[in-house]
Amino acid sequence: MACLIQLLTRSAESPTRLPWWAQTQRQCAGPTYNAAVTNPLDIDEKIKVTGGSVLKGEVGVLGAKNAVLKEMVAMLMAAGVHRLTNVPGILDVSLMGRVLDHIGASCEFEGHTLTVQVPDEINPEAPLDLVRAMRASIVVLGPLLARTGRARVAFPGGDDLGSRPIDWHLDSLRQMGAEFKLEHGVLTGWVDGRLKGATLDLEFPSVGATENSILAAVIADGVTTINNAAREPEIQDIAAQLNAMGAKVTGAGTHTITIEGVGALHPVEHHVIGDRLEAGTYAIAGAITGGEVTIRNCDPAHLRMELRKLEEVGCEIERGDDFFVIAGPKRAKAVDFATLPFPGFHTDMQPQMVALLATADGTSIVTENLYDSRFRYIGELMRMGADVTTEWQHAVVRGVPTLSGCPVLAFDIRAGAALVLAGLAADGFTTVGDISHIDRGYEDLVGKLASLGAQIERLAG
Ligand code: EPU
């Protein structure tokens, strides 16, 4: 049965602002689903933002993209009806819905609740069009091998952030007994009997390799220990979902995760953790406009280093259990920072922070340690008058008093968000193109910023 993902939840609040991709998903849903629409990222809509408004008010964030995508895959581990609540209506959720659809599950999305029916027999395959449209699809590899002993997954290439290999995913699964063959761009994996628990020493705390290993290990034979595991809050949330399903995962959120394999899992309902990257983006929207914004449904401890750096630039921050209030300075001060795995400064907040530092008083040095091509957006920021020099993984950002609005392009999710933020502080108006990238990770960025007082709108292509 075709995957039915109707990302229409916003229509109740803003009936005239239904984005194109929600309509696309509506058209693609049901029996007329068109598998030839491989990558719906080509629509030429734009965001127009006029600078100068001081943002004030409250905004709530939805569930974390980087948790929900893996939690959708985790559902494949048990036949039956699963439910995720607090699911954002973003393009990547609908793309992952298409992956699940291909594997044989059926999905329904309504009111931020995703219901997924997983059959007893699944098709252990993820084709190129879906893997190319969303790299995170590679996380199906471990679960498919664990559940069926086989997997055929298109080998993901690099993307706008860099080459992004998957060698650590494969090394871990090999140590658990899987074998792989790469032919004609397709990775075929198989295992003789069940995967076996193993001690995995990750070379680097990779988020995806940690997740693939956990998902493979939950129904493997024996105990798996992951040393040097990624400690991201999203991984803790995935472990919580798996434990509710009957798995035995301990230590998520620390460097050492232990998974005792169990015979079978069962479906559950799980509430997705708040999106710290969405929250951090609204925090910088408040900071860059010298406004005051309350951000709800996100634990500020998940943004510890990012908020500390925002305090160093002159923001005042009040922290609650699941909210924080940020008041921006008249003009930010320069600050140096380097991206690192959690609890370090998140690479997915780097472009937004650079947008803020572009108009700071002084020179900041930014070091990007996660990706080899994450500074591409800086050329667009420079079109707006930013004074930045990049060399290898360093950027020297010399703050200018003001940016100047102009047409720019979003190369990836966070780059797009950063350019919108820059537009909030720029003189005149900025149009951001290629905004389907923004829709991959933000539900209604435009509506939420407008609710805080931004002069912002979506323009049809
Ligand atoms: N890497 C390897 N080999 C591997 C795996 C990773 O060399 O086998 C390298 C990558 O190329 C990268 C670094 O290790 O340079 C970190 O990669 P990691 O595996 O930690 O990241 P990921 O799982 O591919 C997730 C998020 C990213 C986020 C990173 C880092 C999802 C769907 N994606 O990617 O999110 O930047 O962790 O925190 O969870 C975004 O949301 O905009 C986004 C890009």
Side-chain angles (χ1 to χ4, degrees):
M1 189 170 139
C3 175
L4 181 64
I5 298 216
Q6 292 180 326
L7 298 169
L8 305 175
T9 49
R10 253 167 300 155
S11 54
E13 299 124 45
S14 49
T16 55
R17 270 206 299 270
L18 189 66
W20 69 266
W21 51 267
Q23 293 161 16
T24 304
Q25 292 308 316
R26 189 161 44 169
Q27 284 155 16
C28 289
T32 56
Y33 172 88
N34 178 5
V37 180
T38 52
N39 185 350
L41 302 182
D42 298 330
I43 309 274
D44 191 25
E45 269 193 295
K46 293 184 172 56
I47 291 175
K48 178 180 175 188
V49 51
T50 304
S53 303
V54 174
L55 300 201
K56 282 200 177 358
E58 276 193 26
V59 64
V61 302
L62 284 157
K65 168 179 89 71
N66 291 347
V68 76
L69 296 178
K70 327 304 168 58
E71 287 165 355
M72 290 172 75
V73 172
M75 297 192 273
L76 293 173
M77 305 297 292
V81 179
H82 302 247
R83 211 158 270 125
L84 286 176
T85 56
N86 199 31
V87 175
I90 54 175
L91 185 54
D92 272 9
V93 166
S94 69
L95 288 171
M96 189 58 94
R98 291 171 66 185
V99 175
L100 264 54
D101 181 20
H102 189 92
I103 290 170
S106 55
C107 315
E108 267 188 44
F109 185 76
E110 204 178 344
H112 296 125
T113 295
L114 182 69
T115 306
V116 178
Q117 168 102 43
V118 178
D120 290 326
E121 298 285 319
I122 57 173
N123 170 30
E125 201 179 77
L128 180 62
D129 56 347
L130 298 176
V131 176
R132 265 225 197 285
M134 191 185 52
R135 270 193 105 265
S137 316
I138 194 63
V139 85
V140 299
L141 198 55
L144 294 182
L145 283 168
R147 243 202 97 180
T148 71
R150 293 172 297 133
R152 263 176 66 79
V153 177
F155 195 90
D159 65 7
D160 286 319
L161 302 180
S163 50
R164 302 188 75 178
I166 55 162
D167 49 339
W168 302 327
H169 299 237
L170 301 184
D171 282 354
S172 293
L173 295 169
R174 277 196 191 100
Q175 286 177 66
M176 296 174 76
E179 292 182 65
F180 295 100
K181 186 173 68 175
L182 176 65
E183 270 180 346
H184 309 298
V186 177
L187 191 64
T188 304
W190 66 95
V191 56
D192 190 11
R194 283 172 73 187
L195 288 170
K196 294 192 179 37
T199 298
L200 311 173
D201 295 314
L202 292 186
E203 197 171 321
F204 177 87
S206 152
V207 171
T210 302
E211 291 163 343
N212 235 332
S213 307
I214 296 175
L215 288 164
V218 282
I219 56 168
D221 198 9
V223 176
T224 298
T225 304
I226 308 174
N227 293 318
N228 198 22
R231 289 186 280 166
E232 270 68 4
E234 292 78 15
I235 291 179
Q236 295 181 52
D237 199 50
I238 296 161
Q241 175 205 19
L242 287 166
N243 284 341
M245 290 169 71
K248 293 189 176 162
V249 182
T250 52
T254 73
H255 284 306
T256 306
I257 300 178
T258 306
I259 305 115
E260 197 182 318
V262 297
L265 301 177
H266 54 82
V268 291
E269 176 169 321
H270 177 75
H271 186 83
V272 184
I273 189 177
D275 195 324
R276 62 195 163 116
L277 302 171
E278 191 191 3
T281 302
Y282 296 125
I284 294 186
I288 206 167
T289 62
E292 182 172 321
V293 175
T294 301
I295 294 132
R296 299 213 171 268
N297 308 331
C298 173
D299 181 346
H302 296 164
L303 280 168
R304 215 175 318 160
M305 187 56 70
E306 295 78 4
L307 296 186
R308 195 176 115 189
K309 288 290 168 183
L310 285 168
E311 282 173 330
E312 283 181 34
V313 306
C315 295
E316 284 179 21
I317 299 177
E318 177 199 331
R319 294 164 175 79
D321 286 343
D322 69 343
F323 75 93
F324 60 97
V325 186
I326 179 163
K330 270 208 159 47
R331 185 175 183 196
K333 290 185 290 222
V335 71
D336 298 343
F337 74 95
T339 65
L340 283 171
F342 187 82
F345 194 102
H346 202 308
T347 177
D348 294 342
M349 286 299 301
Q350 181 255 98
Q352 302 91 311
M353 189 71 176
V354 168
L356 173 64
L357 296 177
T359 55
D361 185 11
T363 298
S364 309
I365 297 178
V366 177
T367 304
E368 170 56 50
N369 287 312
L370 273 290
Y371 293 117
D372 44 33
S373 303
R374 184 133 230 181
F375 285 141
R376 275 187 70 208
Y377 72 93
I378 281 181
E380 299 301 285
L381 210 50
M382 287 167 70
R383 298 195 68 242
M384 299 177 71
D387 182 359
V388 186
T389 313
T390 56
E391 194 169 319
W392 183 219
Q393 82 263 46
H394 302 291
V396 178
V397 187
R398 294 172 210 88
V400 294
T402 184
L403 297 174
S404 169
C406 68
V408 288
L409 290 178
F411 296 134
D412 67 75
I413 303 174
R414 312 301 165 188
L419 293 167
V420 170
L421 297 179
L424 290 172
D427 182 34
F429 68 86
T430 300
T431 51
V432 183
D434 279 357
I435 59 168
S436 50
H437 287 292
I438 296 177
D439 292 332
R440 292 187 58 172
Y442 294 88
E443 179 182 310
D444 202 14
L445 181 74
V446 167
K448 287 185 177 179
L449 289 173
S451 77
L452 296 172
Q455 289 182 66
I456 185 166
E457 60 184 316
R458 269 179 102 102
L459 304 177

